Structure formats: structure tokens, C-alpha cells
């Protein structure tokens, strides 16, 4: 009841302040737009706005970033569905089925499902966040040390190997290729340079944003261009038919499951919405009776990914506000906003600034609700981008991606890396490899290695130490079983070739 | 029991050679880390071992199951490419490989010429422009009958030249180049679309967001880039 009263107080404070309302709606629209524009993301907007938050009150600054976070995660789904360009890594699994739906003439249904499920996942996450922040933060932080996070990363990668590629082997090789790209640069423990080939650029590692833009956006342009050159290009069919309530209701279990997965992943520092989205998608595949349908335009794929990534946004605020631990890039920027106002996020914020906490919670709740309204209006208009002929859209997307890659660090070599990744993605996709697997390996590789090193130091370099940690052990066993089952399936349980595309 | 095709053997060999090469290179950073007894090499070496095992597993699977090995329970999710037979021949791969080397040649060759000839600093821009022009002509000649190779290479050329010639001067040429390669042939339409895309980018990123895009350093490209920044930012 206390939580409800606090929420009401936060809501009244938020909507009785004209500047607060202005900032709230600016954040909603800005997050959605930046999430939906190919080549830029909510992180671009947040980075641009960060210096200006010094002129805002702490409540307004943190509230603005939390609203951008909620709506930006949703906004990235639009480009993932319409152009196969995820606005952020957490929208990558949305593209697996969202883009095929667009190609099948169901863009409206895919966007509608994304709008609805992003809102559901986000609102559910906010409610749990408000009701149980302290207890969940205590449990997650005490139960999930480096061994558990490493085991969770291993499990996530093991499951992801069976999705997105033509065979388990190609899926596994895709993930390993991503992990190897992540190895380039400094090692996380001793700071030794690895695989830099005496090139200063490689010493700092390969940045994931140009790589993601290359593997997704650029390789997609190349694939479509090849189809155009060979006369097999089919323009995406335009539709603004949103899914019916009945269609969505059929996926209620997927929504609930993904919301739980998203919340669980979001609450863990350093894991966040990306793993949530991938795990939400993977579990949808695992529990589905129609596994072969995934990747060919199945609405459940969009629903699972979008519910999970938005469910992670509310959860990611728990370690940030309760313990001062950011869960990802945007929450790390929020720490910067706190510091600009001489504040430190952590348990004291709840005692010293309860108004701030509850205004932020209320703003996130209403930001997720506003996805329903503003998202539908935005989706109705933005789907019309598909009317633009591909020969005009292609240079625009390539140049937006160029600006996006360059703007990260101001290095033209990042643009070269992006186009090299695009060419590599083109050839890998031709051969049945999964670019999503590579990107997942790249993003989780650094977390995996770092947590493995911390875990081994913690366990005094004894692998048997995992036996005394039931959660880590359970996740490792589940991961190994997944891999062994896939190997067994690859050798002994072939499906007829006709049941699969390609 | 199927028989391995040449393509499958090449694919398997590629991964095994890649793993062997990176394993050999890992000795370059095989130093002790005081607080971490596994050092910086354990993680990449385990990944390389798994790559080798997966490559061997794939070869065994393909040998046992033939064509069916390319499918799995959740198989063939991305039916991505047109994979026209014309774009799968050895000749096409060689032609495309040569094309893809041209942008990297632009990044290397001018520096070599400048070093070998001892060209003074004021003459380096001329060498860059001449090398760029020659390599771009070679690109047009080689890609004449390889449309897909041309599409893959053009963005790399754009990126390679951006450091020297800047975004502002190259972007209009790049937009028109992509449109031509995508099959657009109407000059008026191309000019209008080019101006529209260029205008949107400049208005949004340069005027509104103050994103500092590369101006290049070779005149007259640099002068044009600086003029654009001064005018619109």
C-alpha cells in the first residue's frame, strides 16, 4: 500500500509540474524517434543531452533519461521490423521474425505486436519494480556473483547457437566468430594487447556499434542489392493492419514468460535488455511446437523479444537506484546525471530523495503506457517509409549508418570496419551463418571473459567451486545439455530437407 | 553416407586454418599475469579449440548426412541471398576479391609511393588524388560485368577515401553511385533524390545535432567540407 501511495504522490508531482510534463513528452517522442531512425539510437540522443542535464533539476534529468530508455528500446523495434536494422542490440532478435513479416506483407501486424508487447512488458516491469525494488535487488546482488553471471552468459550462448543459422554447427561457429572479435584489444585482467597486429586502432578493440551496423544494416542492403541485380528482389508489401486482440491473446504465455525472463535479466548488472531479448526469443523457440516457423515471420518471435527487452528496462533501474550499479550504457549515463548534481545513486537515494525515486518510477510507468498511444500513431506513419523505392532508400540507409558509425568515436576507420563487417555479413549469410549469433558473441564475449576471470579468482582457480553454487551449476548443466542435445540432433535426428527453407 | 563437396571442404579448411593461425599468433601475448594464472591466452585458445571442434563436427555431419547436414530443427532461418549461379562461380569470387582489394590498395599504395619517392608534404595530396583516380578507373573496368561485386566495393571505396576527401564532397557522388548500381537511370530523378538525401543529412546531423563529420584534408575537398560546416553548423 505504501508503494501505491508513493506512486500516486510521484504521479501528482510529475503531472503538476509544467516543465516536468514538457520534459516527459520530449523524452517519449525523442526516444521513439531516435530509436526508430536507422543509424542513430537512443544512446545517440542520451549522449547529446547528457551535458544539458546539468541545467535541469536531478528529478528532471533522471526522469528524462529513464523515459528515453523505455521508449528508445521500443523505437528500435520499428527499424528492426521494417528494414532489418535493429535500433539497438536489444532489438536484434526482433528483426529475426519482424523483418520476414514485413517481407510477407505483415509489417503492420509486426509493428502492432511490438507496440502492444513493449507496453505490456514495460508496464509489468514497472509495477514489479515499484513493489519489490529493495527485496529483488538484495536477492539478485547476493545470489548472482561472477560465477552465476558467467554461467548465465554460457547458457545464453548455448541456446543461441541453435537459432538463426542453417545448422547447429554454423550457429556455433557464428557465435565463436563473435567471441573471437570480442577478444581483439586489451585483455580484461592484465591489460595485455591481443591480436592487434601492430595496428593502433585494434589495440582499443573493435567497437560493437560499427560492427552491428555492418552486420545488420549494410549486409541487408547488399543482400537486397544482389536480389535486385539478379531480378529476384521483391519489394516489401505495405500494410497497416494491426494484430487483433485474439491474435495477441494466443501468445499470452509467451508474453508472461518473456516478461519474467526480461525482468530477471534486466535486474542483473551488466546483462540488461540485450540478453533478455535474446533469451526471450530463444525460449519462445524452445517451447514452441512450430520451431521451423521461427525466422520466417512468426509473430511470437516479435512478441517474445519486445516483451523481454522492455521488461528489462524497469528491472535495470533496480540495481542502479538501489546499489548504484548500471546495467548498460544508458543506465551508466544516468550515473553521470547523478554525479553532475553531486549525487551518487545507491541506497541513500531512497532515504534522501524519495521524491526523485517515485517521480522517476511514475514517469517510467506512464512512458511505457504512452508507447501504446504514441507508438500506434507513430507506427501508422512510419510504416509508409516502405513506399520509398529501394534504390532511393539504400543510399539513405548507408549514409545514416556511416554517420552512426563515425559519430561513436570520430574515426573514419570505424566506417571502414562497418563496411568490412557488411561484406563479411553478406558472405556469411550466403553460406548459412547467423549474423545475429556473431553479434551476440561479440557483445557477450567481453562480459563472459571478465566474469569468468572474476569467478576463477573468487573460486581460487578450482573449477569444483562451481559445485557449491547451485544457480551457476544449474545454468552450466542446462547449457551443456542444450549443446549435447543439439549435437545429438545434428547427427542422429535429421528432419527431411523439404521441411526447411534454403 | 554422403560425399563431401569441394565447397564443404574449403569451408571446413577455412575455419581450421583460421583457428590454427590465431592459435599460433596467441604466443605473441602469452605473458604471465600475476593475479590471473590462466593469462590472456586461455579464453581465446578455448574459443579456437571450439571453432576447430565445430568445424570438424560440421565436416563429419556433412559426410554422414550429405545435403541434409545443412538443415537442422530450426533450420534455414534466413533465406537471405539470391545465390544466382552466376554469383557462385570461382571466376566471380576471384573478380569480387580483386575488386574488394582496390579500396585497401588506396589506403596503402599512396603512402608507399610517398615514402619511396620522398615526396615533400605539399605533393602528397596530388599522389593521393592520382592513386584514387587510377584505382577508381580500375574499379569501373573490373566491375563492368560484376554488378554485385561493384555494389559490395563502392561503400568500401567511399569509406577509404573519406579520411582524405571528406564526407561532404564524397557523399553526393556516393548517393548517385549507389542509385546507378541499384538500377536507377533517370538523371533528373537521381539529382533530385541526391539533393533530398544530402539535404536531410546536413540539416539533421550538421545543423541540428552539430555532428562533426570528416572534412578531409586534401584541397579542394577540404575547402568544400569546411565551407559546408561553416555555412550549416
Amino acid at each position: 500500500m505504501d508503494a501505491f501511495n508513493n506512486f500516486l504522490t510521484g504521479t501528482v508531482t510529475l503531472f503538476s509540474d509544467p516543465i516536468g510534463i514538457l520534459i516527459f513528452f520530449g523524452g517519449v517522442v525523442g526516444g521513439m524517434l531516435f530509436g526508430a531512425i536507422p543509424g542513430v539510437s537512443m544512446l545517440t540522443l542520451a549522449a547529446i543531452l547528457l551535458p544539458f542535464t546539468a541545467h535541469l533539476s536531478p528529478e528532471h534529468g533522471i526522469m528524462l533519461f529513464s523515459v528515453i530508455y523505455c521508449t528508445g528500446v521500443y523505437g528500435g523495434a520499428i527499424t528492426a521490423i521494417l528494414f532489418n536494422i535493429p535500433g539497438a542490440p536489444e532489438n536484434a532478435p526482433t528483426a529475426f521474425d519482424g523483418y520476414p513479416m514485413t517481407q510477407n506483407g505483415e509489417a503492420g501486424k509486426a509493428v502492432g505486436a511490438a507496440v502492444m508487447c513493449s507496453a505490456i512488458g514495460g508496464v509489468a516491469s514497472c509495477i514489479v519494480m515499484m513493489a519489490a525494488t529493495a527485496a529483488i535487488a538484495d536477492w539478485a546482488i547476493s545470489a548472482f556473483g561472477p560465477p552465476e553471471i558467467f554461467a548465465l552468459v554460457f547458457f545464453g550462448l548455448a541456446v543461441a547457437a541453435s537459432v538463426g543459422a542453417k545448422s547447429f554447427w554454423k550457429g556455433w561457429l557464428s557465435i565463436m566468430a563473435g567471441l573471437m572479435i570480442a577478444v581483439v584489444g586489451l585483455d580484461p585482467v592484465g591489460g595485455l594487447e591481443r591480436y592487434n597486429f601492430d595496428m593502433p586502432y585494434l589495440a582499443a578493440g573493435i567497437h560493437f556499434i560499427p560492427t552491428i551496423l555492418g552486420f545488420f544494416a549494410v549486409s541487408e542492403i547488399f543482400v537486397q542489392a544482389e536480389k535486385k541485380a539478379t531480378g529476384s528482389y521483391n519489394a516489401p508489401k505495405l500494410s497497416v493492419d494491426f494484430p487483433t486482440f485474439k491474435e495477441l491473446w494466443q501468445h499470452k504465455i509467451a508474453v508472461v514468460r518473456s516478461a519474467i525472463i526480461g525482468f530477471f535479466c534486466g535486474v542483473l548488472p551488466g546483462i540488461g535488455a540485450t540478453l533478455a531479448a535474446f533469451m526471450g526469443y530463444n525460449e519462445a523457440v524452445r517451447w514452441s511446437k512450430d520451431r521451423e516457423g521461427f525466422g520466417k515471420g512468426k509473430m511470437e518471435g516479435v512478441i517474445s523479444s519486445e516483451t523481454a527487452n522492455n521488461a528489462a528496462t524497469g528491472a535495470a533501474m533496480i540495481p542502479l537506484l538501489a546499489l548504484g550499479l548500471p546495467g548498460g550504457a544508458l543506465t551508466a549515463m544516468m550515473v553521470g546525471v547523478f554525479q553532475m548534481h553531486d549525487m551518487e545513486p545507491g541506497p541513500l537515494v531512497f532515504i534522501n530523495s524519495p521524491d526523485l525515486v517515485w517521480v522517476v518510477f511514475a514517469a517510467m510507468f506512464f512512458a511505457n503506457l504512452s508507447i501504446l498511444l504514441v507508438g500506434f500513431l507513430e507506427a501508422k506513419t512510419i510504416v509508409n517509409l516502405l513506399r520509398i523505392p529501394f534504390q532511393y532508400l539504400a543510399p539513405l540507409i548507408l549514409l545514416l549508418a556511416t554517420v552512426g558509425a563515425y559519430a561513436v568515436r570520430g574515426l573514419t576507420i570505424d566506417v571502414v570496419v562497418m563496411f568490412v563487417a557488411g561484406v563479411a555479413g553478406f558472405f556469411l549469410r550466403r553460406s548459412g551463418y547467423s549474423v545475429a549469433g556473431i553479434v551476440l558473441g561479440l557483445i557477450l564475449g567481453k562480459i563472459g571473459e571478465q566474469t569468468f576471470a572474476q569467478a576463477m579468482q573468487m573460486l581460487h582457480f578450482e573449477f569444483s567451486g562451481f559445485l557449491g553454487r547451485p544457480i551457476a551449476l544449474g545454468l552450466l548443466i542446462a547449457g551443456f545439455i542444450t549443446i549435447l542435445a543439439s549435437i545429438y540432433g545434428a547427427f542422429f535426428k535429421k528432419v527431411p530437407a523439404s521441411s526447411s527453407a534454403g | 553416407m554422403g560425399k563431401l563437396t569441394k565447397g564443404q571442404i574449403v569451408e571446413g579448411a577455412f575455419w581450421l586454418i583460421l583457428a590454427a593461425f590465431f592459435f599460433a599468433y596467441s604466443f605473441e601475448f602469452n605473458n604471465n599475469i600475476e593475479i590471473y594464472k590462466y593469462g590472456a591466452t586461455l579464453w581465446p585458445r578455448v574459443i579456437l579449440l571450439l571453432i576447430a571442434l565445430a568445424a570438424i563436427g560440421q565436416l563429419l555431419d556433412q559426410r554422414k548426412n550429405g545435403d541434409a547436414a545443412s538443415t537442422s530443427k530450426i533450420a534455414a532461418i534466413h533465406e537471405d541471398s539470391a545465390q544466382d549461379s552466376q554469383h557462385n562461380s570461382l571466376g566471380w569470387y576471384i573478380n569480387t576479391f580483386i575488386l574488394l582489394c582496390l579500396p585497401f590498395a588506396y589506403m596503402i599504395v599512396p603512402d608507399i609511393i610517398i615514402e619511396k619517392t620522398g615526396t615533400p608534404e605539399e605533393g602528397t595530396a596530388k599522389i593521393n588524388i592520382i592513386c584514387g583516380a587510377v584505382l577508381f578507373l580500375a574499379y569501373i573496368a573490373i566491375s563492368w560485368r560484376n554488378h554485385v561485386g561493384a555494389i559490395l566495393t563502392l561503400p568500401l571505396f567511399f569509406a577509404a577515401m573519406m579520411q582524405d576527401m571528406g564526407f561532404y564532397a564524397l557523399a553526393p557522388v556516393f548517393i548517385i553511385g549507389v542509385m546507378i548500381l541499384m538500377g536507377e537511370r533517370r538523371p533528373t530523378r537521381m539529382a533530385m533524390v541526391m539533393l533530398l538525401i544530402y539535404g536531410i543529412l546536413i540539416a539533421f546531423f550538421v545543423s541540428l545535432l552539430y555532428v562533426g563529420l570528416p572534412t578531409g584534408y586534401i584541397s579542394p575537398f577540404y575547402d568544400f567540407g569546411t565551407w559546408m560546416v561553416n555555412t550549416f553548423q
Side-chain angles (χ1 to χ4, degrees):
Chain A
M1 205 60 196
D2 274 355
F4 185 68
N5 289 335
N6 287 330
F7 170 67
L8 287 181
T9 311
T11 305
V12 171
T13 313
L14 172 66
F15 290 111
S16 59
D17 172 12
I19 297 174
I21 296 172
L22 199 68
I23 290 171
F24 174 81
F25 282 107
V28 167
V29 175
M32 278 189 199
L33 274 180
F34 270 71
I37 296 171
V40 294
S41 69
M42 61 175 175
L43 291 177
T44 318
L45 177 64
I48 292 164
L49 292 176
L50 187 59
F52 301 106
T53 55
H55 305 290
L56 301 175
S57 67
E59 287 87 353
H60 288 157
I62 299 294
M63 186 261 283
L64 174 65
F65 271 58
S66 57
V67 169
I68 289 172
Y69 189 27
C70 295
T71 54
V73 168
Y74 151 73
I78 303 281
T79 45
I81 290 166
L82 297 185
F83 308 112
N84 204 18
I85 304 169
E90 51 263 36
N91 301 112
T94 308
F96 295 172
D97 279 278
Y99 186 64
M101 281 181 80
T102 298
Q103 289 177 314
N104 298 339
E106 295 178 320
K109 281 187 191 280
V111 172
V115 167
M116 191 65 85
C117 294
S118 294
I120 292 171
V123 168
S125 173
C126 277
I127 292 169
V128 181
M129 169 183 78
M130 288 187 270
T133 297
I136 289 173
D138 282 350
W139 175 78
I141 302 305
S142 60
F144 270 74
E148 285 75 19
I149 295 177
F150 166 71
L152 188 66
V153 168
F154 172 74
F155 176 66
L157 291 176
V159 175
S162 62
V163 178
K166 271 193 175 177
S167 69
F168 162 74
W169 304 110
K170 287 182 192 292
W172 196 240
L173 284 165
S174 305
I175 283 173
M176 291 300 137
L179 290 174
M180 274 310 288
I181 297 172
V183 163
V184 176
L186 301 178
D187 99 275
V189 184
L192 294 174
E193 287 183 8
R194 299 187 297 196
Y195 299 116
N196 64 346
F197 302 102
D198 297 325
M199 292 165 72
Y201 171 75
L202 291 179
I206 296 172
H207 202 282
F208 68 91
I209 287 183
T211 321
I212 287 175
L213 283 169
F215 276 124
F216 282 100
V218 178
S219 77
E220 181 58 35
I221 298 291
F222 290 157
V223 167
Q224 298 304 332
E226 187 195 20
K227 287 183 177 172
K228 241 176 142 27
T230 54
S232 57
Y233 173 76
N234 292 316
K237 299 169 193 113
L238 182 69
S239 86
V240 286
D241 298 329
F242 286 137
T244 59
F245 179 75
K246 193 181 164 192
E247 282 175 306
L248 288 171
W249 185 250
Q250 286 169 348
H251 301 293
K252 56 187 178 297
I253 294 172
V255 171
V256 173
R257 182 181 53 230
S258 301
I260 294 168
I261 290 169
F263 193 85
F264 180 72
C265 292
V267 84
L268 301 172
I271 300 291
T274 305
L275 186 64
F278 274 97
M279 286 196 69
Y281 183 84
N282 290 344
E283 290 308 304
V285 176
R286 182 202 287 271
W287 293 99
S288 174
K289 286 176 187 162
D290 176 29
R291 289 180 172 194
E292 285 80 9
F294 279 88
K296 295 174 188 165
K298 208 168 162 56
M299 197 194 291
E300 194 177 337
V302 175
I303 284 173
S304 305
S305 165
E306 279 308 303
T307 309
N309 64 24
N310 266 74
T313 56
M317 296 299 285
I318 292 172
L320 177 76
L321 289 175
L323 293 142
L325 294 172
L330 201 117
T331 41
M333 286 189 206
M334 284 190 210
V335 176
V337 179
F338 273 109
Q339 287 170 347
M340 273 197 273
H341 292 89
D342 295 326
M343 295 168 74
E344 285 294 334
L348 286 177
V349 171
F350 282 84
I351 298 163
N352 297 335
S353 314
D355 288 353
L356 181 149
V357 172
W358 285 98
V359 166
V360 168
F361 283 177
M364 286 184 78
F365 179 85
F366 289 106
N368 279 303
L369 269 188
S370 69
I371 289 174
L372 273 181
L373 181 68
V374 186
F376 269 116
L377 291 175
E378 185 203 26
K380 282 271 184 192
T381 50
I382 214 158
V383 165
N384 288 295
L385 282 175
L386 292 176
R387 289 187 198 276
I388 303 170
F390 186 70
Q391 64 266 33
Y392 305 145
L393 207 53
L396 177 64
I397 292 174
L398 287 174
L399 285 177
L400 284 172
T402 300
V403 175
Y406 181 80
V408 176
R409 299 191 284 194
L411 296 172
T412 49
I413 194 79
D414 275 337
V415 182
V416 176
V417 165
M418 178 186 72
F419 285 126
V420 168
V423 172
F426 170 79
F427 284 109
L428 287 166
R429 287 168 66 166
R430 273 168 72 106
S431 311
Y433 290 91
S434 159
V435 289
I438 297 172
V439 168
L440 185 66
L442 170 63
I443 291 170
L444 293 183
K446 285 194 194 300
I447 301 171
E449 184 177 13
Q450 193 156 18
T451 51
F452 174 74
Q454 288 168 345
M456 294 321 293
Q457 286 168 318
M458 233 174 106
L459 303 173
H460 306 292
F461 299 97
E462 295 287 342
F463 284 95
S464 58
F466 280 100
L467 295 174
R469 303 185 74 99
I471 296 174
L473 187 65
L475 287 166
L476 287 175
I477 290 172
F480 277 117
I481 289 173
T482 305
I483 293 169
L484 291 175
S486 299
I487 292 173
Y488 175 78
F491 277 113
F492 302 109
K493 285 175 75 179
K494 282 288 159 209
V495 290
S498 59
S499 68
S500 305
Chain B
M1 180 85 67
K3 197 183 167 196
L4 289 172
T5 64
K6 267 185 196 169
Q8 288 166 341
I9 294 169
V10 170
E11 192 181 334
F14 166 79
W15 286 111
L16 291 171
I17 291 167
L18 194 79
F21 170 75
F22 277 93
F23 181 81
Y25 196 88
S26 70
F27 287 95
E28 292 279 323
F29 52 86
N30 191 23
N31 303 330
N32 283 331
I33 299 174
E34 204 172 316
I35 55 166
Y36 188 57
K37 74 174 184 182
Y38 298 138
T41 51
L42 176 83
W43 184 262
R45 283 177 179 176
V46 169
I47 296 168
L48 293 168
L49 176 69
L50 292 172
I51 287 177
L53 288 175
I56 292 165
Q58 178 165 254
L59 283 172
L60 292 174
D61 188 16
Q62 286 165 338
R63 189 164 173 267
K64 182 173 182 291
N65 294 307
D67 287 342
S70 64
T71 62
S72 71
K73 285 184 213 165
I74 314 159
I77 275 182
H78 295 290
E79 200 179 359
D80 273 334
S81 175
Q83 296 212 31
D84 190 76
S85 57
Q86 183 195 339
H87 300 127
N88 265 332
S89 65
L90 183 65
W92 180 81
Y93 277 106
I94 291 171
N95 188 286
T96 304
F97 178 75
I98 293 168
L99 275 173
L100 290 170
C101 287
L102 294 176
F104 295 99
Y106 175 77
M107 293 166 81
I108 297 165
V109 172
D111 290 341
I112 295 172
I113 294 172
I114 289 162
E115 196 183 313
K116 296 276 179 201
T117 55
T119 310
E121 205 173 322
E122 57 270 19
T124 57
K126 199 177 280 180
I127 289 175
N128 274 299
I129 292 172
I130 291 168
C131 282
V134 169
L135 288 167
F136 197 75
L137 285 174
Y139 160 76
I140 293 170
I142 298 168
S143 66
W144 199 250
R145 289 187 179 279
N146 183 357
H147 207 75
V148 175
I151 293 166
L152 294 175
T153 309
L154 185 67
L156 278 170
F157 247 120
F158 171 61
M161 291 178 162
M162 201 192 291
Q163 175 79 32
D164 297 334
M165 299 175 192
F167 177 88
Y168 300 94
L170 290 180
V173 184
F174 178 68
I175 295 167
I176 289 173
V178 174
M179 280 194 283
I180 291 171
L181 289 171
M182 296 285 175
E184 182 59 63
R185 293 290 180 272
R186 293 163 291 188
T188 321
R189 190 69 73 89
M190 280 197 283
M192 283 168 61
V193 173
M194 186 273 283
L195 285 173
L196 184 68
I197 294 176
Y198 195 63
I200 290 169
L201 289 170
I202 298 298
F204 188 71
F205 290 108
V206 181
S207 297
L208 193 67
L209 299 181
Y210 291 93
V211 176
L213 295 166
T215 53
Y217 74 92
I218 295 175
S219 189
F221 306 104
Y222 169 76
D223 304 324
F224 177 70
T226 315
W227 177 80
M228 288 292 291
V229 173
N230 290 336
T231 309
F232 293 101
Q233 201 161 62

